């Protein structure tokens, strides 16, 4: 099948890796230096509906997979569907489940999905009353897309207030009840009516070890989560519960509202004992969770994505996973998540990939001369699989040790404490 993937990160590299292993003809726009080893790259702005559609038609793409959220919110999937191109990714209206926190809360309330209480704050006048109402720890979220910078969780009321005022300058904010527990990412492949679960993963959102430092796009991940699924009767049972109580009600509600969800519904959950609540939805594969979930996928990926795009998923066809574990460690540039100076040379990837079970997904790299340079904040995800979580973790960090990039930052505790 000829498949066009839109995006340029490690998530898109992981998707391309899985599809290339199935023998598909891949084009990625715009891609990166690592993806270029698996696919033809096209220098197209993936978030421009006109450019993306012209490219898909020129290629005769039989499936388009939209990686990041920005093209979805910009209407790239709408434009492709209008031209009859099968696309894995929701229309802009359905992508509001990620693009507007207030929209997501309204859908959850209408669908009876468990989540924390929240207050919409439209102007500075309502802010203090909302802070009083919800109390500490304060959870402040920009309503719209904010590239991972819109969320602040803090005990410090002044900091919460300042963050809210900063984001109120460009739109509404949401104050949310703090929900204690451990975060879990569970993805569902959706065709507008059916939702099929992948395997749960855990993401590490803070920059530093022990969850210190600022929020990031994600500094590492692992899958599966035995600490979680043992408690909930097994992975199939946990996924089935989330499917029945969260994914299906949301997909049904979106369909009832005339905005069917076709694509990847990312359920960001918080698990506390037996309680499972939603903290956020995303409308696309998570990054870096995809880098550890897809290497464990035993079912072919392309038919799942295409069946979803065509609205013909088999409700009984939940994908199968290997019992292997996978661990991914993100290597970021100096300065990330603040302004990072691009251009650092990146060496040692071949040495890392020579290790058993190790591969490297590129997020922001370009070729320069004979070598590679970093071109952004998150640069690589070093991924390893193994027969146990410990083996996968040991392999991943052995891979990290072989990579050299001046100023590079990574966490040393990914999958160290699976509990
Ligand atoms: N890992 C978090 C995200 O993809 O949004």
């Amino acid at each position: 099948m000829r498949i066009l993937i839109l995006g340029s990160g490690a998530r898109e590299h992981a998707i391309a890796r899985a599809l290339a292993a199935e023998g598909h003809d891949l084009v990625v726009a715009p891609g990166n230096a690592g993806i270029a080893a698996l696919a033809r790259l096209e220098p197209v702005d993936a978030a421009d509906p006109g450019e993306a559609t012209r490219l898909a038609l020129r290629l005769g793409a039989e499936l388009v997979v939209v990686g990041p959220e920005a093209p979805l919110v910009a209407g790239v999937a709408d434009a492709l569907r209008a031209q009859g191109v099968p696309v894995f990714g929701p229309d802009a209206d359905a992508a509001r489940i990620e693009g507007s926190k207030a929209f997501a809360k309204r859908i959850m309330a209408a669908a009876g999905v468990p989540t924390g209480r929240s207050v919409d704050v439209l102007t500075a006048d309502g802010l203090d009353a909302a802070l009083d109402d919800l109390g500490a720890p304060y959870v402040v979220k920009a309503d719209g897309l904010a590239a991972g910078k819109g969320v602040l969780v803090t005990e410090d009321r002044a900091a919460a207030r300042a963050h809210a005022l900063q984001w109120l300058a460009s739109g509404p904010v949401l104050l949310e009840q703090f929900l204690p527990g451990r975060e879990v990412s569970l993805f569902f492949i959706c065709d507008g009516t059916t939702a099929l679960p992948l395997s749960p993963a855990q993401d590490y959102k803070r920059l530093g070890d022990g969850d210190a430092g600022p929020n990031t796009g994600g500094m590492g991940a692992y899958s599966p989560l035995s600490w979680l699924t043992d408690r909930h009767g097994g992975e199939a049972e946990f996924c089935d519960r989330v499917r029945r109580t969260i994914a299906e009600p949301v997909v049904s509600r979106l369909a009832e509202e005339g905005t069917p969800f076709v694509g990847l519904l990312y359920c960001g959950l918080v698990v506390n004992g037996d309680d499972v609540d939603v903290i956020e939805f995303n409308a696309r594969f998570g990054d870096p969770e995809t880098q550890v979930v897809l290497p464990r996928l035993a079912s072919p990926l392309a038919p799942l994505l295409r069946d979803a795009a065509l609205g013909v998923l088999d409700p009984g066809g939940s994908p199968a996973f290997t019992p292997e574990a996978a661990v991914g460690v993100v290597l970021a540039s100096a300065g990330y998540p603040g302004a990072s100076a691009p251009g650092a040379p990146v060496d040692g990837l071949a040495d890392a990939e020579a290790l058993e079970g190790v591969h490297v997904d590129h997020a922001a790299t370009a070729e320069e001369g004979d070598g590679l340079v970093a071109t952004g904040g998150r640069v690589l995800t070093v991924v390893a699989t193994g027969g146990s979580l410990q083996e996968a973790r040991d392999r991943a960090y052995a891979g990290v040790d072989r990579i050299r990039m001046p100023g590079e930052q990574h966490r040393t505790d990914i999958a160290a404490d699976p509990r």
Side-chain angles (χ1 to χ4, degrees):
M1 196 185 334
R2 173 161 288 183
I3 303 174
L4 169 62
I5 302 170
L6 299 177
S8 64
R11 162 186 51 212
E12 287 75 26
H13 196 168
I15 295 169
R17 191 183 289 281
L19 294 173
E22 293 168 17
H24 299 288
D25 173 15
L26 300 182
V27 179
V28 182
N32 62 40
I35 297 174
L38 301 171
R40 186 151 65 82
L41 304 188
E42 289 280 351
V44 156
D45 177 0
D48 182 310
E51 279 196 42
T53 305
R54 279 191 292 281
L55 175 62
L57 293 174
R58 174 160 64 77
L59 295 170
E62 294 156 274
L63 174 66
V64 178
V65 181
V66 186
E69 60 276 20
L72 297 167
V73 170
V76 164
D78 309 55
L80 287 160
R81 277 195 189 94
Q83 293 297 323
V85 180
V87 52
F88 184 78
D91 283 353
D93 278 345
R96 284 183 296 161
I97 199 81
E98 173 167 4
S100 166
K101 308 285 180 224
F103 175 83
K105 285 287 187 188
R106 183 180 69 69
I107 294 291
M108 282 190 266
V113 163
T115 188
R117 205 163 63 80
S118 68
V119 177
D120 295 339
V121 180
L122 304 180
T123 68
D125 293 344
L127 180 57
D128 283 309
L131 289 166
D132 289 342
D133 181 9
L134 287 160
Y138 302 100
V139 182
V140 185
K141 294 185 176 177
D143 181 63
L145 294 184
K149 298 191 172 106
V151 178
L152 181 70
V153 181
T154 179
E155 294 279 349
D156 179 344
R157 184 184 170 108
R161 205 168 182 284
H163 185 79
L165 288 172
Q166 177 202 330
W167 285 97
L168 275 168
S170 50
V173 300
L174 208 76
L175 261 57
E176 268 187 19
Q177 178 188 1
F178 176 77
L179 294 175
R182 295 193 70 180
E183 292 187 22
V184 171
S185 305
L186 182 56
F187 302 159
F188 287 83
I189 307 256
C190 302
D191 71 352
T193 50
T194 295
L196 300 181
L198 300 185
S199 185
Q202 181 150 22
D203 179 21
Y204 291 73
K205 290 205 171 69
R206 300 278 184 154
L207 181 69
D209 285 358
D211 287 336
N215 262 325
T216 69
M219 293 300 291
Y222 69 91
S223 176
L225 310 181
S226 54
W227 63 266
L228 167 73
T229 52
D230 288 353
R231 171 161 191 137
H232 288 261
E235 181 164 313
E237 288 71 13
F238 177 79
C239 292
D240 189 53
R241 172 179 170 184
V242 178
R243 181 180 181 177
R244 280 184 290 101
T245 59
I246 294 170
E248 287 179 346
V250 164
V251 167
S252 297
R253 181 69 200 183
L254 288 169
E256 280 161 27
E257 296 202 0
T259 56
F261 190 95
V262 176
L264 197 290
L265 183 66
Y266 167 138
C267 298
L269 309 169
V270 63
V271 177
N272 190 4
D274 291 330
D275 294 338
V276 182
D277 289 271
V278 174
I279 46 174
E280 66 173 358
F281 289 114
N282 292 318
R284 39 77 195 172
F285 282 101
D287 185 347
E289 298 96 315
T290 302
Q291 292 92 298
V292 295
V293 170
L294 291 187
R296 300 186 48 245
L297 181 65
S299 307
L301 180 61
L304 276 170
L305 302 183
R306 187 164 156 95
D307 285 356
L310 296 176
V312 296
L313 277 177
D314 171 4
S318 286
F321 284 82
T322 69
E324 284 194 308
V327 173
V329 181
V330 170
L331 272 56
S333 294
Y336 179 78
S340 53
V346 184
D347 288 309
L349 270 65
D351 290 346
E353 292 193 312
L355 292 166
E356 189 176 352
V358 176
H359 64 262
V360 181
D361 289 326
H362 294 223
T365 58
E367 286 186 14
E368 198 174 276
D370 291 339
L372 275 183
V373 292
T375 58
R378 288 190 295 173
V379 179
L380 304 167
T381 309
V382 180
V383 180
T385 53
S388 66
L389 192 64
Q390 188 63 49
E391 184 175 54
R393 174 177 150 73
D394 290 345
R395 289 175 171 178
Y397 277 106
V400 170
D401 285 346
R402 291 187 173 197
I403 294 176
R404 295 171 300 281
M405 183 173 91
E408 174 267 314
Q409 323 180 63
H410 66 264
R411 281 182 68 150
T412 67
D413 63 349
I414 305 301
D417 180 20
R419 281 173 275 202

